[in-house]
PDB file of all heavy atoms in Angstrom:
ATOM      1  N   ILE B  36      30.903-139.906  44.061  1.00 97.00           N
ATOM      2  CA  ILE B  36      30.725-138.581  44.652  1.00 97.00           C
ATOM      3  C   ILE B  36      30.069-137.656  43.639  1.00 97.00           C
ATOM      4  O   ILE B  36      30.572-137.496  42.511  1.00 97.00           O
ATOM      5  CB  ILE B  36      32.074-137.997  45.101  1.00 97.00           C
ATOM      6  CG1 ILE B  36      32.704-138.916  46.158  1.00 97.00           C
ATOM      7  CG2 ILE B  36      31.886-136.591  45.668  1.00 97.00           C
ATOM      8  CD1 ILE B  36      34.108-138.523  46.540  1.00 97.00           C
ATOM      9  N   GLN B  37      28.955-137.058  44.046  1.00 97.00           N
ATOM     10  CA  GLN B  37      28.246-136.116  43.186  1.00 97.00           C
ATOM     11  C   GLN B  37      28.231-134.739  43.823  1.00 97.00           C
ATOM     12  O   GLN B  37      28.168-134.601  45.042  1.00 97.00           O
ATOM     13  CB  GLN B  37      26.797-136.570  42.974  1.00 97.00           C
ATOM     14  CG  GLN B  37      26.674-137.840  42.166  1.00 97.00           C
ATOM     15  CD  GLN B  37      25.217-138.166  41.849  1.00 97.00           C
ATOM     16  OE1 GLN B  37      24.679-139.177  42.312  1.00 97.00           O
ATOM     17  NE2 GLN B  37      24.598-137.322  41.055  1.00 97.00           N
ATOM     18  N   SER B  38      28.285-133.744  42.970  1.00 97.00           N
ATOM     19  CA  SER B  38      28.155-132.369  43.448  1.00 97.00           C
ATOM     20  C   SER B  38      27.431-131.533  42.413  1.00 97.00           C
ATOM     21  O   SER B  38      27.513-131.813  41.207  1.00 97.00           O
ATOM     22  CB  SER B  38      29.546-131.781  43.738  1.00 97.00           C
ATOM     23  OG  SER B  38      30.302-131.691  42.541  1.00 97.00           O
ATOM     24  N   PRO B  39      26.681-130.526  42.878  1.00 97.00           N
ATOM     25  CA  PRO B  39      26.316-130.284  44.265  1.00 97.00           C
ATOM     26  C   PRO B  39      25.246-131.263  44.729  1.00 97.00           C
ATOM     27  O   PRO B  39      24.708-132.016  43.915  1.00 97.00           O
ATOM     28  CB  PRO B  39      25.770-128.860  44.211  1.00 97.00           C
ATOM     29  CG  PRO B  39      25.145-128.774  42.852  1.00 97.00           C
ATOM     30  CD  PRO B  39      26.049-129.571  41.943  1.00 97.00           C
ATOM     31  N   ARG B  40      24.929-131.282  46.003  1.00 96.00           N
ATOM     32  CA  ARG B  40      23.833-132.119  46.502  1.00 96.00           C
ATOM     33  C   ARG B  40      22.477-131.496  46.185  1.00 96.00           C
ATOM     34  O   ARG B  40      21.497-132.192  45.953  1.00 96.00           O
ATOM     35  CB  ARG B  40      23.959-132.335  48.007  1.00 96.00           C
ATOM     36  CG  ARG B  40      25.090-133.245  48.430  1.00 96.00           C
ATOM     37  CD  ARG B  40      24.861-134.703  47.947  1.00 96.00           C
ATOM     38  NE  ARG B  40      23.548-135.234  48.273  1.00 96.00           N
ATOM     39  CZ  ARG B  40      23.211-135.781  49.425  1.00 96.00           C
ATOM     40  NH1 ARG B  40      24.106-135.866  50.397  1.00 96.00           N
ATOM     41  NH2 ARG B  40      21.987-136.254  49.616  1.00 96.00           N
ATOM     42  N   HIS B  41      22.442-130.187  46.210  1.00 97.00           N
ATOM     43  CA  HIS B  41      21.216-129.469  45.909  1.00 97.00           C
ATOM     44  C   HIS B  41      21.564-128.307  44.979  1.00 97.00           C
ATOM     45  O   HIS B  41      22.610-127.675  45.132  1.00 97.00           O
ATOM     46  CB  HIS B  41      20.563-128.918  47.174  1.00 97.00           C
ATOM     47  CG  HIS B  41      20.217-129.962  48.176  1.00 97.00           C
ATOM     48  ND1 HIS B  41      19.028-130.667  48.151  1.00 97.00           N
ATOM     49  CD2 HIS B  41      20.905-130.458  49.229  1.00 97.00           C
ATOM     50  CE1 HIS B  41      19.004-131.520  49.150  1.00 97.00           C
ATOM     51  NE2 HIS B  41      20.125-131.422  49.822  1.00 97.00           N
ATOM     52  N   GLU B  42      20.664-128.053  44.034  1.00 97.00           N
ATOM     53  CA  GLU B  42      20.861-126.939  43.113  1.00 97.00           C
ATOM     54  C   GLU B  42      19.500-126.320  42.828  1.00 97.00           C
ATOM     55  O   GLU B  42      18.573-127.038  42.410  1.00 97.00           O
ATOM     56  CB  GLU B  42      21.503-127.444  41.816  1.00 97.00           C
ATOM     57  CG  GLU B  42      21.683-126.401  40.740  1.00 97.00           C
ATOM     58  CD  GLU B  42      22.894-125.517  40.971  1.00 97.00           C
ATOM     59  OE1 GLU B  42      23.930-126.040  41.427  1.00 97.00           O
ATOM     60  OE2 GLU B  42      22.797-124.311  40.692  1.00 97.00           O
ATOM     61  N   VAL B  43      19.419-125.032  43.043  1.00 97.00           N
ATOM     62  CA  VAL B  43      18.218-124.281  42.694  1.00 97.00           C
ATOM     63  C   VAL B  43      18.628-123.235  41.675  1.00 97.00           C
ATOM     64  O   VAL B  43      19.561-122.463  41.910  1.00 97.00           O
ATOM     65  CB  VAL B  43      17.578-123.607  43.917  1.00 97.00           C
ATOM     66  CG1 VAL B  43      16.325-122.841  43.494  1.00 97.00           C
ATOM     67  CG2 VAL B  43      17.240-124.632  44.990  1.00 97.00           C
ATOM     68  N   THR B  44      17.949-123.227  40.551  1.00 97.00           N
ATOM     69  CA  THR B  44      18.314-122.302  39.498  1.00 97.00           C
ATOM     70  C   THR B  44      17.067-121.748  38.836  1.00 97.00           C
ATOM     71  O   THR B  44      15.968-122.315  38.972  1.00 97.00           O
ATOM     72  CB  THR B  44      19.207-122.996  38.456  1.00 97.00           C
ATOM     73  OG1 THR B  44      19.749-122.031  37.560  1.00 97.00           O
ATOM     74  CG2 THR B  44      18.409-124.022  37.659  1.00 97.00           C
ATOM     75  N   GLU B  45      17.234-120.668  38.134  1.00 97.00           N
ATOM     76  CA  GLU B  45      16.116-120.069  37.432  1.00 97.00           C
ATOM     77  C   GLU B  45      16.007-120.642  36.024  1.00 97.00           C
ATOM     78  O   GLU B  45      17.029-120.967  35.394  1.00 97.00           O
ATOM     79  CB  GLU B  45      16.280-118.551  37.377  1.00 97.00           C
ATOM     80  CG  GLU B  45      16.148-117.880  38.733  1.00 97.00           C
ATOM     81  CD  GLU B  45      16.179-116.375  38.625  1.00 97.00           C
ATOM     82  OE1 GLU B  45      16.523-115.868  37.539  1.00 97.00           O
ATOM     83  OE2 GLU B  45      15.871-115.700  39.624  1.00 97.00           O
ATOM     84  N   MET B  46      14.817-120.708  35.550  1.00 97.00           N
ATOM     85  CA  MET B  46      14.556-121.179  34.194  1.00 97.00           C
ATOM     86  C   MET B  46      15.422-120.399  33.203  1.00 97.00           C
ATOM     87  O   MET B  46      15.551-119.180  33.300  1.00 97.00           O
ATOM     88  CB  MET B  46      13.074-120.970  33.862  1.00 97.00           C
ATOM     89  CG  MET B  46      12.656-121.460  32.505  1.00 97.00           C
ATOM     90  SD  MET B  46      10.877-121.341  32.271  1.00 97.00           S
ATOM     91  CE  MET B  46      10.625-119.594  32.450  1.00 97.00           C
ATOM     92  N   GLY B  47      16.016-121.151  32.280  1.00 97.00           N
ATOM     93  CA  GLY B  47      16.853-120.532  31.257  1.00 97.00           C
ATOM     94  C   GLY B  47      18.333-120.558  31.581  1.00 97.00           C
ATOM     95  O   GLY B  47      19.165-120.362  30.685  1.00 97.00           O
ATOM     96  N   GLN B  48      18.666-120.807  32.840  1.00 97.00           N
ATOM     97  CA  GLN B  48      20.069-120.845  33.228  1.00 97.00           C
ATOM     98  C   GLN B  48      20.694-122.194  32.881  1.00 97.00           C
ATOM     99  O   GLN B  48      20.007-123.211  32.741  1.00 97.00           O
ATOM    100  CB  GLN B  48      20.216-120.586  34.726  1.00 97.00           C
ATOM    101  CG  GLN B  48      19.751-119.207  35.160  1.00 97.00           C
ATOM    102  CD  GLN B  48      20.575-118.119  34.503  1.00 97.00           C
ATOM    103  OE1 GLN B  48      21.812-118.106  34.584  1.00 97.00           O
ATOM    104  NE2 GLN B  48      19.908-117.191  33.841  1.00 97.00           N
ATOM    105  N   GLU B  49      22.008-122.172  32.756  1.00 97.00           N
ATOM    106  CA  GLU B  49      22.756-123.411  32.534  1.00 97.00           C
ATOM    107  C   GLU B  49      23.036-124.085  33.872  1.00 97.00           C
ATOM    108  O   GLU B  49      23.375-123.413  34.850  1.00 97.00           O
ATOM    109  CB  GLU B  49      24.069-123.097  31.818  1.00 97.00           C
ATOM    110  CG  GLU B  49      24.966-124.307  31.620  1.00 97.00           C
ATOM    111  CD  GLU B  49      26.255-123.937  30.896  1.00 97.00           C
ATOM    112  OE1 GLU B  49      26.191-123.487  29.739  1.00 97.00           O
ATOM    113  OE2 GLU B  49      27.338-124.119  31.499  1.00 97.00           O
ATOM    114  N   VAL B  50      22.887-125.390  33.893  1.00 98.00           N
ATOM    115  CA  VAL B  50      23.150-126.166  35.100  1.00 98.00           C
ATOM    116  C   VAL B  50      24.169-127.250  34.764  1.00 98.00           C
ATOM    117  O   VAL B  50      24.038-127.927  33.734  1.00 98.00           O
ATOM    118  CB  VAL B  50      21.859-126.835  35.615  1.00 98.00           C
ATOM    119  CG1 VAL B  50      22.157-127.729  36.790  1.00 98.00           C
ATOM    120  CG2 VAL B  50      20.826-125.789  35.973  1.00 98.00           C
ATOM    121  N   THR B  51      25.152-127.419  35.621  1.00 98.00           N
ATOM    122  CA  THR B  51      26.148-128.481  35.435  1.00 98.00           C
ATOM    123  C   THR B  51      26.219-129.335  36.685  1.00 98.00           C
ATOM    124  O   THR B  51      26.475-128.835  37.779  1.00 98.00           O
ATOM    125  CB  THR B  51      27.535-127.902  35.137  1.00 98.00           C
ATOM    126  OG1 THR B  51      27.478-127.134  33.928  1.00 98.00           O
ATOM    127  CG2 THR B  51      28.550-129.025  34.942  1.00 98.00           C
ATOM    128  N   LEU B  52      25.981-130.612  36.493  1.00 98.00           N
ATOM    129  CA  LEU B  52      26.075-131.586  37.574  1.00 98.00           C
ATOM    130  C   LEU B  52      27.361-132.385  37.387  1.00 98.00           C
ATOM    131  O   LEU B  52      27.738-132.714  36.262  1.00 98.00           O
ATOM    132  CB  LEU B  52      24.866-132.526  37.558  1.00 98.00           C
ATOM    133  CG  LEU B  52      23.488-131.852  37.451  1.00 98.00           C
ATOM    134  CD1 LEU B  52      22.384-132.895  37.465  1.00 98.00           C
ATOM    135  CD2 LEU B  52      23.296-130.825  38.529  1.00 98.00           C
ATOM    136  N   ARG B  53      27.987-132.717  38.512  1.00 98.00           N
ATOM    137  CA  ARG B  53      29.308-133.354  38.456  1.00 98.00           C
ATOM    138  C   ARG B  53      29.321-134.696  39.161  1.00 98.00           C
ATOM    139  O   ARG B  53      28.584-134.914  40.122  1.00 98.00           O
ATOM    140  CB  ARG B  53      30.344-132.426  39.074  1.00 98.00           C
ATOM    141  CG  ARG B  53      30.508-131.125  38.310  1.00 98.00           C
ATOM    142  CD  ARG B  53      31.391-130.129  39.026  1.00 98.00           C
ATOM    143  NE  ARG B  53      31.635-128.948  38.207  1.00 98.00           N
ATOM    144  CZ  ARG B  53      30.793-127.941  38.067  1.00 98.00           C
ATOM    145  NH1 ARG B  53      29.626-127.960  38.698  1.00 98.00           N
ATOM    146  NH2 ARG B  53      31.095-126.910  37.301  1.00 98.00           N
ATOM    147  N   CYS B  54      30.191-135.562  38.664  1.00 98.00           N
ATOM    148  CA  CYS B  54      30.270-136.907  39.222  1.00 98.00           C
ATOM    149  C   CYS B  54      31.694-137.430  39.172  1.00 98.00           C
ATOM    150  O   CYS B  54      32.384-137.312  38.158  1.00 98.00           O
ATOM    151  CB  CYS B  54      29.356-137.861  38.454  1.00 98.00           C
ATOM    152  SG  CYS B  54      29.481-139.596  38.976  1.00 98.00           S
TER     153      CYS B  54
END
Side-chain angles (χ1 to χ4, degrees):
Chain B
I36 299 173
Q37 292 186 245
S38 64
R40 289 294 310 276
H41 301 274
E42 176 80 38
V43 180
T44 190
E45 292 186 348
M46 182 174 61
Q48 297 298 306
E49 176 180 298
V50 175
T51 299
L52 311 181
R53 296 172 174 80
C54 175

